[in-house]
Amino acid sequence: MSAQLKDVIIKPDAPSWLLLDKHADYIAAYGSKKDDYEYTLSEYLRMSGIYWGLTVMDLMGQLPRMSRQEIIDFIKACQHECGGVSASIGHDPHLLYTLSAIQILCLYDSLDAIDVDKVVEYVKGLQQEDGSFAGDKWGEIDTRFSFCAVATLALLGKMDSINVDKAVEFVLSCMNFDGGFGCRPGSESHAGQIYCCTGFLSLTGQLHQLNADLLGWWLCERQLPSGGLNGRPEKLPDVCYSWWVLASLKIIGRIHWIDKAKLRRFILACQDEETGGFADRPGDVVDPFHTLFGIAGLSLLGDEQIKAVNPVLCMPEDVLQRVHLQPDLLS
């Protein structure tokens, strides 16, 4: 007897159209409720939370509603002497939050607000002998951090400050027999890591090293009967994989291999019609993380109410044109 496939049921009365105004109101209100339990609890990832909120507002054409100067001042206060940026004031710097800070400053065309040379030195100092990157001074190695390092340096036009060849060598050593990637050599393939590694290979001009058909097949297998995408076999679908899986397929030129209409239906069903925002699955509690990746997924699917999103960096294409990134690195 075969195991029952893990999936969700989309109810007939689930939202089937995009509630754009409600999502903008939800994000604008979220950042203003600084005494909320939920907001206080998320301090350890505040910088990334700001990036999620600002990026989705920009994709919806609502960025002017956010407090530009307050956010820039916050980022300045989070840069440490070593050059790295922390999640919040008083926290340790980390590559994840350093990238988020640089992405935010690019949205606001304000890279001069912090010491960019020190950021470059910080990123350079985290590269290991085997080409991998530690996330911070404590030394955890993960392909996510390889992506964060090259994405940060690409946005700053400073990719030549690291050993790119060794960095590529390490990421390729994490490729598996199924075409996917794990967080370290020998780790199982996971859609989040695949996004990081395909994005990394795009930024370093090494996409030809992939087996696009094999990887594309693995990614397409993530679509369930509900239309939603999961991150690995036997898991429930989640709106955030509408980004990690779909962006990876877009980068390798295989986005047409999935059922776009069914995925769009799943994403729209994850909206909250009362509060605005997207949840991981229909009926769950919404948050800014899933709201960004729901909207960004819809952008990749061609929704014309949303700005075009770049599949490698999850930023509006018009912002990246402004920072003069090489277009061939952002296929």
Side-chain angles (χ1 to χ4, degrees):
M1 188 174 172
S2 62
Q4 188 176 5
L5 188 68
K6 290 185 177 179
D7 201 0
V8 298
I9 304 294
I10 297 179
K11 295 177 181 176
D13 62 347
S16 57
W17 60 93
L18 182 57
L19 309 168
L20 212 57
D21 291 342
K22 280 189 176 289
H23 302 319
D25 290 344
Y26 164 70
I27 294 292
Y30 188 91
S32 65
K33 297 175 182 172
K34 295 185 171 56
D35 294 328
D36 269 19
Y37 178 68
E38 185 184 351
Y39 185 88
T40 307
L41 210 61
S42 62
E43 185 183 5
Y44 70 97
L45 49 71
R46 176 81 69 244
M47 191 66 70
S48 290
I50 294 171
Y51 155 72
W52 301 329
L54 294 180
T55 302
V56 74
M57 288 298 266
D58 200 352
L59 288 172
M60 295 188 292
Q62 299 285 327
L63 188 60
R65 291 180 64 176
M66 309 303 274
S67 180
R68 181 180 188 276
Q69 195 55 51
E70 184 185 345
I71 290 161
I72 291 172
D73 290 344
F74 175 74
I75 293 173
K76 288 165 73 171
C78 289
Q79 186 176 29
H80 290 244
E81 187 60 34
C82 65
V85 180
S86 55
S88 195
I89 297 166
H91 290 236
D92 287 343
H94 195 286
L95 254 181
L96 286 171
Y97 308 119
T98 302
L99 172 58
S100 292
I102 295 301
Q103 288 173 303
I104 294 164
L105 292 173
C106 285
L107 290 179
Y108 281 131
D109 199 14
S110 298
L111 282 171
D112 57 353
I114 61 170
D115 191 329
V116 167
D117 290 339
K118 280 195 170 182
V119 172
V120 174
E121 284 304 309
Y122 175 72
V123 175
K124 181 180 176 181
L126 290 171
Q127 188 170 28
Q128 310 300 299
E129 281 189 27
D130 64 356
S132 66
F133 283 84
D136 59 15
K137 66 179 182 181
W138 306 110
E140 182 189 2
I141 304 297
D142 191 312
T143 46
R144 286 181 304 157
F145 308 145
S146 295
F147 172 75
C148 289
V150 299
T152 299
L153 296 175
L155 288 168
L156 298 176
K158 300 286 187 179
M159 192 91 86
D160 58 355
S161 64
I162 58 166
N163 187 330
V164 175
D165 290 342
K166 290 292 285 184
V168 170
E169 195 179 304
F170 173 75
V171 168
L172 291 175
S173 76
C174 300
M175 192 192 298
N176 292 321
F177 69 93
D178 54 17
F181 292 84
C183 51
R184 287 181 290 278
S187 298
E188 82 168 304
S189 296
H190 184 284
Q193 305 296 149
I194 288 170
Y195 163 78
C196 289
C197 294
T198 54
F200 169 94
L201 293 171
S202 177
L203 289 167
T204 53
Q206 297 292 318
L207 275 178
H208 61 278
Q209 305 269 18
L210 289 170
N211 183 333
D213 284 348
L214 184 62
L215 177 56
W217 176 84
W218 190 94
L219 290 165
C220 290
E221 286 288 300
R222 306 281 58 79
Q223 189 163 35
L224 298 166
S226 65
L229 300 164
N230 63 16
R232 51 199 166 112
E234 302 302 317
K235 296 294 182 181
L236 287 168
D238 185 321
V239 155
C240 71
Y241 294 110
S242 305
W243 176 257
W244 313 120
V245 174
L246 206 58
S248 301
L249 285 167
K250 177 75 171 175
I251 292 167
I252 64 172
R254 301 295 185 277
I255 196 169
H256 56 289
W257 283 13
I258 62 152
D259 188 325
K260 293 182 180 181
K262 285 182 76 173
L263 176 56
R264 178 179 168 80
R265 179 170 167 258
F266 172 82
I267 296 172
L268 292 174
C270 295
Q271 300 174 102
D272 189 311
E273 292 178 275
E274 292 183 21
T275 65
F278 288 76
D280 57 350
R281 285 177 277 280
D284 285 357
V285 178
V286 302
D287 60 67
F289 174 84
H290 289 95
T291 301
L292 167 60
F293 294 123
I295 290 287
L298 290 171
S299 175
L300 287 179
L301 290 172
D303 194 306
E304 293 182 357
Q305 299 174 78
I306 305 165
K307 282 189 187 182
V309 69
N310 181 270
V312 176
L313 290 165
C314 196
M315 295 170 67
E317 290 282 16
D318 60 353
V319 172
L320 296 179
Q321 288 165 8
R322 199 171 63 220
V323 297
H324 307 302
L325 274 182
Q326 290 176 250
D328 59 317
L329 296 184
L330 293 170
S331 54

